[in-house]
Amino acid sequence: MTAQLIDGKAIAAKVRAELKDDVAAMIARVGRPPGIAVVRVGDDPASKVYVTSKEKTALELGFGSWHHHLEATVTQAELMALVRRLNADPAVDGILVQLPLPRHLDANAVLEAIDPAKDVDGFHALNAGLLFQGRPRLVACTPAGVMRMLEEIGFDPAGRNCVVVGRSNIVGRPMGLLLLNASATVTICHSKSDVAAEVRRADLVVAAVGVPKLITGDFIKPGAVVIDVGMNRTPEGKLVGDVDFEPARERASFITPVPGGVGPMTIAMLMSNTVTAAKARTS
Ligand code: GUN
């Protein structure tokens, strides 16, 4: 079997197209578009690429968009003061503080300072807790994007063995909870797991560890759905996922490419969360 590719670019474009009507409706209703503020600290090159792409998409959709770029030497107090200012700004519906932050800053304290109603990353403990309880409000963008991709290919997780590789707060944990909330039987693997044994039983594999080719082709159960969240740079500068793509493709039913798979979905879902937050704040 050669897997069908899941075209993240096309699905992300569909999500963005759906949002255009929401933007127009909001302007008609409250006289302004949804607004997102992105905060970037320091000069991490990958963060700069992500943030530029987020801003470009927000502007294309006609959102209000603000970018705050702070020096790497900014103090915790200064960063917290900016977050409080954005919390109080009525034109800002969504606040995103790009991670990672420089080491001298306490990222958890910053994320907890964001108004949960504006937490379009879904990283605040309140939003993470609501997801944990099965009553999600604002959900982390990458796992939300994966769920949308599964919907698009007609994969219903209910009763299926779904294996998430990675337990980060950004992807692995919320991914596991979304799948659990969709009635999957969920396994979350980490550095102490027998990853090969767990993945071999999986009807769905979501790889989110950041280790190139950790998931080799022989791990994949024939017919499984393979979602690769990994974004790793090879020494030659090529972008590769966590899955050894070509051999996995020969066994899976559906697989995401890297790039062009999950990547484009994250930003589309960020825009979707901003619309959700804007609607909730203005209704
Ligand atoms: N760094 C890597 N991924 C993300 C993300 O989804 N949101 C934020 N804020 N930072 C990130």
Side-chain angles (χ1 to χ4, degrees):
M1 174 183 280
T2 300
Q4 282 190 56
L5 293 186
I6 308 176
D7 185 345
K9 273 194 204 165
I11 302 171
K14 190 170 164 186
V15 171
R16 290 195 302 272
E18 290 163 5
L19 295 176
K20 286 206 166 143
D21 288 345
D22 292 304
V23 175
M26 178 153 168
I27 293 172
R29 189 166 52 83
V30 290
R32 66 164 183 88
I36 180 165
V38 175
V39 179
R40 180 165 70 94
V41 182
D43 286 304
D44 180 68
S47 291
K48 187 172 178 196
V49 173
Y50 291 140
V51 166
T52 305
S53 188
K54 285 167 185 171
E55 277 182 283
K56 185 169 159 273
T57 311
L59 289 173
E60 275 166 14
L61 286 173
F63 284 18
S65 173
W66 299 271
H67 178 194
H68 296 268
H69 183 204
L70 305 177
E71 299 283 337
T73 52
V74 70
T75 65
Q76 184 81 21
E78 286 166 330
L79 181 53
M80 299 289 262
L82 173 59
V83 168
R84 280 194 287 270
R85 191 149 58 78
L86 296 172
N87 282 345
D89 185 338
V92 172
D93 299 295
I95 302 170
L96 179 143
V97 178
Q98 185 66 32
L99 302 177
L101 290 174
R103 292 168 63 95
H104 70 281
L105 296 169
D106 178 350
N108 284 329
V110 174
L111 297 179
E112 295 310 291
I114 294 172
D115 177 350
K118 296 189 177 189
D119 169 38
V120 284
D121 255 329
F123 293 167
H124 190 285
L126 179 81
N127 286 315
L130 288 168
L131 176 63
F132 174 90
Q133 293 182 347
R135 40 193 201 120
R137 199 173 288 166
L138 290 167
V139 175
C141 303
T142 301
V146 172
M147 294 306 284
R148 176 65 191 256
M149 292 176 119
L150 296 178
E151 205 180 298
E152 291 287 330
I153 63 166
F155 179 88
D156 179 1
R160 311 300 293 278
N161 276 328
C162 297
V163 174
V164 179
V165 188
R167 57 172 156 181
S168 70
N169 287 342
I170 294 181
V171 184
R173 286 171 203 247
M175 187 75 250
L177 287 166
L178 282 168
L179 290 166
L180 179 64
N181 292 345
S183 302
T185 304
V186 179
T187 304
I188 301 183
C189 295
H190 44 74
S191 51
K192 303 278 190 249
S193 305
D194 183 345
V195 175
E198 300 300 341
V199 171
R200 284 197 173 103
R201 297 186 300 107
D203 301 310
L204 166 71
V205 188
V206 181
V209 258
V211 179
K213 298 190 180 180
L214 180 80
I215 313 292
T216 56
D218 60 302
F219 289 14
I220 306 299
K221 179 164 120 175
V225 173
V226 178
I227 307 283
D228 192 348
V229 182
M231 290 231 232
N232 311 295
R233 285 266 167 218
T234 64
E236 300 78 42
K238 205 175 145 217
L239 197 61
V240 297
D242 295 342
V243 177
D244 193 5
F245 179 78
E246 289 301 338
R249 186 182 185 184
E250 293 310 313
R251 293 168 71 106
S253 57
F254 288 91
I255 190 167
T256 57
V258 177
V262 177
M265 292 302 296
T266 300
I267 294 179
M269 299 316 285
L270 175 68
M271 300 301 134
S272 173
N273 276 352
T274 304
V275 166
T276 302
K279 280 187 187 165
R281 293 186 60 253
T282 56
S283 62

